């Protein structure tokens, strides 16, 4: 078997060289659970892990959204790549020579070609902007600005920082010389239409340029900081096929290993904050890009970390953003702590003023719990010098504490409030209890029955699969699971059942297994999945491969008998329907003959 002109031995070598748990582990924080590894699904938002990796069979499966397959399928889903593209990506990572003809790969669609051109243009533009910053006389003021902010040549180089000159067409002309189509470059966000004439101009002018990378480290967008007077101070690339602000975090690609290692991510508001924190030794920092934290951001980070430290600006806007982000992050399953920066400073200013060691010690290691921050934030909206203000603050504070899940945490926090304000602890406990009871009555009304992990998914398996539970359906699934693991079992089932599987997808998988073993292949679930080349069948195969019931000859015969009974029952139903039609048409002889056949079928079914 081969796919296009990709040799089968290359596909086999790719599967052999890439341990699925290692590959998935680059994207998902996995924990051991018996012989399985579990984590939060990277393909849909969830709070309870339903994503499972089985190293023994080299497959993954999510019980929430249904996605599943081998390591190639994972990269296809994760990176939005075709099968040949995913094989090429994995081959290059493993150092396997990519020697097959590129013409053999699937012909890219116009959209894919445009996307590839835009990506290449971004990579070229990043190099150009960086070169201009380091070599252009007109970029001297930009370089001086960065040096004054504490960014020396090493950081400029490491973060790929560049400069877009004030001219209207510096990048436009450079892209034109490289042969890029102007309309595609406008679609990709690098150029803009002229407002008063035909043609295009540079989108970014007189700005310090911060390249933004995707999960692969490829430049997909820019943020430009204006040097001269004017607005906006920061300008981001627009939303494109490559770039979405609500799903992209600055420097996540570079910070991912540190985040996974520590289980913790530090979330900043600005590019400069991330860079300065990196120079201070905080390598697990990322930033949103001029947009509020979204559920997509939280789901993305939850793959790698259990704890978030919010290190937002110390001004009112920054603290309000932190306060707003806490429930979103806690709903996603994070432990949340918050850095409380003094004197309305931002992290960049704090590091410059107090030094990197104090920043790490006080602002990162010394970050307060989410509830502590909420209580600190709440004080700002109450006048505590007045009795009425103190009462209102206490009432609001008790509500904040009452929402905490841990009884011990609630007890300690209520004790602190009771001591500070000279109020009875029992009174605060009663207030907390009443609030929790009210919220319990008002909550959990709008979640539909059967929703998975509080996430409503539209990715259920095809209706070609009947609801699970029917004895013959479970028997077919069990047979297929054993067939994937043992060639002799598959040959025995082929001899006794052939294609007489009742579920269409099961029949298709059986046919693929017969063909697979006919080529003298050894049992290998991960390899078998590569021959399916069908999303639905790959998902069904992954689910079935997860079944872990020990094989037994008696159990095998029971499954075959169950399927045989279902076949006879189905045939009996067909004959009964035909008999009824014969009676309606007055064909009594035909009806009598069909009745004899129905009785014979019923006797046969009972003897199985």
């Amino acid at each position: 078997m081969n796919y296009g002109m990709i040799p089968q031995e290359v596909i086999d070598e790719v599967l052999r060289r890439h341990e699925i748990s290692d590959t998935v582990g680059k994207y998902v924080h996995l924990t051991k659970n018996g012989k399985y590894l579990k984590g939060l699904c990277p393909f849909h938002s969830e709070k309870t892990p339903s994503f499972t990796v089985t190293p023994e069979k080299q497959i993954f499966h999510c019980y929430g959204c249904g996605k599943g397959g081998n390591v190639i399928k994972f990269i296809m889903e994760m990176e939005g790549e075709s099968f040949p593209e995913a094989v090429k990506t994995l081959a290059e990572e493993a150092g396997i020579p990519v020697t097959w003809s590129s013409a053999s790969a699937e012909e890219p669609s116009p959209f894919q070609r445009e996307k590839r051109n835009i990506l290449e243009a971004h990579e070229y533009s990043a190099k150009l902007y960086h070169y201009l910053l380091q070599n252009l006389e007109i970029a001297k003021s930009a370089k001086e600005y960065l040096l004054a902010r504490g960014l020396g040549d090493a950081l400029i180089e490491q973060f790929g920082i560049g400069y877009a000159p004030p001219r209207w067409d510096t990048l436009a002309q450079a892209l034109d010389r490289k042969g890029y189509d102007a309309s595609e470059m406008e679609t990709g966000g690098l150029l803009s239409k002229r407002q008063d004439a035909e043609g295009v101009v540079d989108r970014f002018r007189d700005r310090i340029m911060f390249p933004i990378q995707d999960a692969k480290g490829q430049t997909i967008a820019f943020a430009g900081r204006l040097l001269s007077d004017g607005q906006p101070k920061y300008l981001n690339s627009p939303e494109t096929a490559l770039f979405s602000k609500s799903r992209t975090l600055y420097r996540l690609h570079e910070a991912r290993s540190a985040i996974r290692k520590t289980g913790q991510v530090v979330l900043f508001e600005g590019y400069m904050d991330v860079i300065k924190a990196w120079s201070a030794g905080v390598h697990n920092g990322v930033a949103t890009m001029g947009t509020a934290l979204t559920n997509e951001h939280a789901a993305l980070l939850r793959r790698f970390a259990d704890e978030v430290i919010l290190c937002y600006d110390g001004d009112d806007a920054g603290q309000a953003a932190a306060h707003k982000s806490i429930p979103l992050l806690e709903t996603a399953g994070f432990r949340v702590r918050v850095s409380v920066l003094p004197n309305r400073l931002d992290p960049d200013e704090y590091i410059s003023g107090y030094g990197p060691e104090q920043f790490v010690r006080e602002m990162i290691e010394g970050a307060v719990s989410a509830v502590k921050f909420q209580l600190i934030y709440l004080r700002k909206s109450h006048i505590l010098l007045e009795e009425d203000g103190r009462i209102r603050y206490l009432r609001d504070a008790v509500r904040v504490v009452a929402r905490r899940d841990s009884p011990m945490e609630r007890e300690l926090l209520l004790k602190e409030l009771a001591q500070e304000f000279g109020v009875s602890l029992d009174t605060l406990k009663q207030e907390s209890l009443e609030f929790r009871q009210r919220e319990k009555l008002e909550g959990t009304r709008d979640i539909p029955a059967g929703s998975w992990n509080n996430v409503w998914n539209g990715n259920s398996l095809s209706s070609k699969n009947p609801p699970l539970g029917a004895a013959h359906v479970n028997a077919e699934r069990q047979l297929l699971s054993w067939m994937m693991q043992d060639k002799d079992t598959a040959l025995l089932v082929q001899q006794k059942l052939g294609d007489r599987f009742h579920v269409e997808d099961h029949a298709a998988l059986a046919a693929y297994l017969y063909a697979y073993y006919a080529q003298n292949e050894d049992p290998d679930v991960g390899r078998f999945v590569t021959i399916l080349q069908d999303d639905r069948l790959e998902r069904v195969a992954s689910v079935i491969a997860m079944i872990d019931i020990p094989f037994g000859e008696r159990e095998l015969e029971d499954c075959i008998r169950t399927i045989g009974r279902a076949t006879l029952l189905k045939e009996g139903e067909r004959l009964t329907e035909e008999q009824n039609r014969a009676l309606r048409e007055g064909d009594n002889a035909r009806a009598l003959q069909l009745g004899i056949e129905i009785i014979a079928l019923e006797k046969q079914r009972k003897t199985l």
Side-chain angles (χ1 to χ4, degrees), residues 410-570:
R410 293 198 301 271
E411 173 95 10
L412 290 172
L413 290 165
L414 291 176
K415 272 185 180 178
E416 289 180 11
L417 288 171
Q419 291 170 0
E420 181 180 359
F421 289 90
V423 179
S424 162
L425 176 60
D426 290 338
T427 301
L428 296 184
K429 282 185 175 180
Q430 182 62 31
E431 185 92 12
S432 171
L433 178 62
E434 289 175 1
F435 180 77
R436 286 177 64 82
Q437 288 173 339
R438 282 198 304 273
E439 284 225 324
K440 188 175 182 180
L441 287 173
E442 293 169 3
T444 65
R445 289 180 182 173
D446 302 321
I447 300 175
S451 63
W452 181 273
N453 288 332
N454 301 322
V455 177
W456 308 350
N457 290 292
N459 296 321
S460 58
L461 294 180
S462 166
S463 60
K464 295 190 178 187
N465 295 306
L468 300 182
H472 69 279
V473 174
N474 290 334
E476 289 180 2
R477 288 158 54 87
Q478 185 59 70
L479 281 182
L480 288 166
S481 173
W482 287 330
M483 290 163 69
M484 288 184 197
Q485 300 172 56
D486 183 73
K487 183 176 182 177
D488 291 338
T489 301
L491 296 177
L492 180 63
V493 172
Q494 184 178 15
Q495 179 185 348
K496 293 198 172 187
L497 280 181
D499 62 354
R500 295 192 302 278
F501 284 78
H502 295 269
V503 179
E504 182 180 331
D505 288 344
H506 294 175
L509 286 176
Y512 272 114
L513 279 165
Y514 300 152
Y516 178 76
Y517 288 126
Q519 298 190 32
N520 295 316
E521 301 287 359
D522 293 324
D524 185 330
V525 176
R527 191 170 191 272
F528 170 67
V529 169
T530 64
I531 76 171
L532 299 176
Q533 294 289 288
D534 179 277
D535 284 346
R536 188 179 71 250
L537 288 182
E538 287 173 2
R539 292 185 184 197
V540 175
S542 299
V543 174
I544 290 172
M546 302 292 286
I547 297 172
D548 192 20
I549 297 176
F551 173 81
E553 291 186 7
R554 180 177 176 180
E555 288 79 3
L556 176 68
E557 291 297 330
D558 285 344
C559 286
I560 292 173
R561 273 197 299 272
T562 299
I563 296 167
R565 288 194 196 103
T567 301
L568 294 174
L569 182 62
K570 188 176 180 181

Side-chain angles (χ1 to χ4, degrees), residues 212-270:
I212 299 165
Q213 284 88 26
D214 63 8
K216 293 181 179 179
Q218 302 172 127
T219 302
I220 58 171
F222 290 96
R225 202 271 187 201
L226 191 63
L227 275 183
S228 55
D229 294 334
Q231 292 294 330
K233 181 179 175 182
Y234 275 97
L235 178 66
N236 287 326
S237 293
E239 300 275 314
T240 68
L242 300 178
F243 174 59
S244 170
K245 284 193 291 186
S246 65
R247 295 194 294 270
T248 307
L249 290 159
Y250 179 62
R251 293 294 287 185
L252 178 59
H253 171 72
E254 292 78 5
R256 194 163 56 195
S257 61
I259 293 170
R260 186 179 288 109
K261 184 177 180 180
T262 60
Q264 175 194 86
V265 59
V266 182
L267 193 56
F268 296 97
E269 288 185 284

Side-chain angles (χ1 to χ4, degrees), residues 580-587:
N580 291 334
R581 186 164 55 250
L583 289 170
R584 287 195 300 270
E585 294 171 354
D587 190 348

